[in-house]
Structure formats: C-alpha cells, structure tokens
Amino acid sequence: MAPHDSPDDGTTDDLIDGLVRSAFQVMGVLTRIGAEHDLSLTQLRVLGIVRDRCPRMSDLAAFLGLDKSTLSGLIARAERRGLLTRGTSPEDKRAVVVLITDAGRELTERLNEEIRRVLAPATGRLDPEQRAQLTQLLEPLLSPPLPAVPRPERPARGTA
Amino acid sequence: MAPHDSPDDGTTDDLIDGLVRSAFQVMGVLTRIGAEHDLSLTQLRVLGIVRDRCPRMSDLAAFLGLDKSTLSGLIARAERRGLLTRGTSPEDKRAVVVLITDAGRELTERLNEEIRRVLAPATGRLDPEQRAQLTQLLEPLLSPPLPAVPRPERPARGTA
DNA sequence: TATTGTTATACTCTATAACTATA
DNA sequence: TATAGTTATAGAGTATAACAATA
C-alpha cells in the first residue's frame, strides 16, 4: 500500500514529493531568469556564492559538486564576460581564488531582484506568519553554506 | 537596510533564501543519484513524469520548459536505452506520445527508493507533525503538475 | 609524493533554423 | 496556413585523463 516499507509514515513521502516539486519549480525560475541574461543555472549560483565570498577553485568545486576542470571552464567564461576575476592566494601559491567584479555584483543584484519579483506571486499566497513558519521548518533540512570569509585577513604567518 | 524596497517584510526574503537553498540541495541529491545510473537530471524528471502519464512530446516540452528539439534528443536517448517508447496518438497523427517501458518503471522505482533513503536523514530532523505542516505550507506555492491521464480512453470520435 | 589548476577530449544538454507530415 | 516532430548544427556544461607548478 505505502510507497515503501516504513512503519507508519506517509508524512515523509508527501514531504519529499513537495520538496522535489518545489525544487523543480524554483530551478525553473532561476533557469529562466539566468537564461534571460545568458547565464546558466550554475553560473547564476556561482555569482550568488561569490557575491560575499572569495573561495578557492577547489573549495568552490567541492561545494558545487563539480570537477575542478568543470569549474575552470565556468570561471573562464565568466571572467571573459567581466563578471569574475581570478586572484592568487598569498598563503598557497598553487591556489586560485575567485573574486567578483563590480559588474558581476551589479548583475547579481539585478538578478536577485528579478527572482524576488517572479517568486512574489507564490510567496504572497502565504501570510507573513506562514512565511516565517515555513522558513523555520525548512531550516533544519538545509546543509550549511560555504563559510562567508570575505578575504584572508591574516598574512598567513609561517608561510611567507 | 532591507534587501529591497518592500514595506515591512523580511519574511519574504528569508523564505526565498530558504527555498532556493533547499532547491539546490534537492537538485544536488537528484543529480548525484541520476548520475549513478547515467541519467541526467532532466531524464530523471522525465521518468518521474511519464511514470503515470502518457504525454505528447509538445506537452512534455512545454511542461519542462524545453524546446521540442531538445525533447526529441532526450527521448531518443532514453528510448535507445529501453526506458521509454514512442507511440502515436490515435486522435492526431502528427502527435507522438511518450510511454514508459517495464524497465523504465523498474528503474524509476529504484531511483525513488534511493531518493527517499538519501533524503531521510534530512527529513528525519523533523517529527511527523512538522513534516505534515511543512508539506501543507509548501502546497500553496506549487504549480499544478501535468494532468495524470494514463491513456486516452475515448477513441477520438469525429476524427477516425 | 600529494595537491591545485589548466588543457585536451568526448558526450550530453540545449536552442535555432530548416525540413516533413498532418490538421 | 499552422501545428507536431525530427534533424543538423553550434555552444555550454560536464567528467576523465594527462599535465605543470607548488607544497
């Protein structure tokens, strides 16, 4: 009867169904808005991450679940468009850090506004109390984001 | 102060942040599980849709937000692997309907089990009551799925 | 020797344009 | 004439393998 062999559930299967459907819907919105600005979903995501972080290539790749080589191409294309820049870490001369440019930051802002605007009809179907409640219920499910370290402040004592 | 110029909000921006993060997380899981079976995210999704529907190519393309030509390739690859078949509509000789095969259905079942298993640690962080509540709060945000019409029953009177 | 990135290669995903067949 | 699909083509996204530089 039940979709699988858990004792009593049903709540879990319904929840997963809702989460998956909502995920596809959100991705649809992000994909469309990105496409209107010639950005893939991944590039949109990279912009959102690099907006307040300067991650190393390898950390970013790991976070995104992509191979290093994939990231090389992704960053190269964004760099060619003037949205991102590569910098070298003072601590490790092998490492490359990804930095957002002013143009990239402006585009990211515009993108975020559009996302809020397009999603507004949906989120508006809940009242503020329900929105807060939904946000709270979602929180325990979320994995932690990349630590938001804007820049390495310490001059890497011991290495230099 | 506020991320944009709404009157009082904050609840909306936090909610969107949560929805976007949860979407990327769910997509990450689906992408990984799909990849383990040599399926792209889109193909995984198509299988899930066609599991209990026989949509026409154009309807499926519209629902997925893809061009018809993109879907042709997608279905062709899945057909080559024996997961789907093409059929012709009795009502409209131009139309092609997409049908799942037994192998496709079995794979879809296995995929769904894996998704539930991988997502279990996350959903398990909520108790059943919270899961039901979260599902309910998500519901108003969701667009309707493709109508689940398994097969055209009526022999298309007037055309034949 | 191990790690960080890049490059070369190959395949999938995707859209645009041109085409065929049916309505 | 318009709609449903396919094919050809081209560009982006992706991973694997081989490589250079640094740790």
Side-chain angles (χ1 to χ4, degrees):
Chain A
M1 225 67 342
H4 63 309
D5 53 3
S6 2
D8 68 336
D9 233 16
T11 60
T12 298
D13 292 311
D14 289 346
L15 174 54
I16 289 180
D17 187 66
L19 288 172
V20 168
R21 286 176 59 198
S22 120
F24 275 119
Q25 196 167 320
V26 169
M27 286 301 136
V29 169
L30 299 187
T31 299
R32 182 163 56 75
I33 292 178
E36 285 167 8
H37 297 265
D38 282 299
L39 287 173
S40 72
L41 192 55
T42 308
Q43 281 184 318
L44 190 95
R45 191 181 185 192
V46 167
L47 281 179
I49 292 170
V50 176
R51 179 176 177 251
D52 26 47
R53 288 173 191 83
C54 301
R56 295 160 43 146
M57 295 285 286
S58 53
D59 292 336
L60 194 47
F63 184 76
L64 296 170
L66 297 172
D67 193 86
K68 314 170 289 177
S69 63
T70 300
L71 208 66
S72 281
L74 235 22
I75 300 301
R77 283 184 288 271
E79 194 174 24
R80 239 178 277 136
R81 289 180 56 180
L83 303 173
L84 301 176
T85 325
R86 284 172 161 94
T88 42
S89 166
E91 313 182 345
D92 187 338
K93 280 178 193 156
R94 296 172 301 178
V96 170
V97 295
V98 182
L99 308 162
I100 197 166
T101 62
D102 288 343
R105 194 179 303 277
E106 281 165 30
L107 178 55
T108 304
E109 275 321 304
R110 246 177 302 142
L111 254 13
N112 282 340
E113 278 164 32
E114 273 191 64
I115 291 167
R116 285 191 292 256
R117 189 157 41 73
V118 171
L119 250 27
T123 57
R125 272 177 229 126
L126 302 178
D127 59 45
E129 211 172 325
Q130 291 174 311
R131 289 198 289 266
Q133 206 178 4
L134 177 49
T135 304
Q136 276 188 342
L137 285 167
L138 239 22
E139 203 165 279
L141 306 183
L142 299 176
S143 338
L146 256 193
V149 183
R151 285 264 186 178
E153 315 281 3
R154 309 144 305 155
R157 30 135 215 164
T159 301
Chain B
M1 256 338 69
H4 64 308
D5 53 2
S6 3
D8 68 336
D9 235 18
T11 61
T12 298
D13 292 310
D14 289 346
L15 173 55
I16 289 180
D17 187 67
L19 287 172
V20 168
R21 286 176 59 197
S22 122
F24 275 119
Q25 196 167 320
V26 169
M27 286 301 136
V29 168
L30 299 186
T31 300
R32 183 162 57 76
I33 292 178
E36 285 167 8
H37 296 265
D38 283 296
L39 287 173
S40 72
L41 192 55
T42 307
Q43 282 183 317
L44 190 94
R45 191 181 185 191
V46 167
L47 281 179
I49 293 170
V50 176
R51 179 175 177 251
D52 27 47
R53 288 173 192 83
C54 300
R56 295 160 42 147
M57 295 286 286
S58 52
D59 292 336
L60 194 47
F63 183 76
L64 296 170
L66 298 172
D67 192 86
K68 315 171 288 177
S69 62
T70 300
L71 208 67
S72 281
L74 235 24
I75 301 300
R77 284 184 289 271
E79 194 173 26
R80 240 179 278 135
R81 288 181 54 180
L83 303 173
L84 302 175
T85 326
R86 283 171 162 95
T88 42
S89 166
E91 313 182 345
D92 188 337
K93 279 178 194 157
R94 297 171 302 177
V96 170
V97 295
V98 183
L99 308 163
I100 198 166
T101 62
D102 288 344
R105 194 179 303 277
E106 282 165 29
L107 177 56
T108 304
E109 276 319 305
R110 246 176 303 143
L111 254 12
N112 282 340
E113 280 164 31
E114 273 191 65
I115 292 167
R116 284 191 293 256
R117 189 158 41 76
V118 171
L119 249 28
T123 57
R125 271 177 230 128
L126 302 177
D127 59 45
E129 211 172 323
Q130 291 174 312
R131 289 198 288 267
Q133 205 178 5
L134 177 48
T135 305
Q136 275 187 343
L137 285 166
L138 239 21
E139 203 166 278
L141 306 184
L142 299 175
S143 337
L146 257 192
V149 183
R151 286 264 186 177
E153 316 280 5
R154 309 145 304 153
R157 34 143 209 156
T159 301

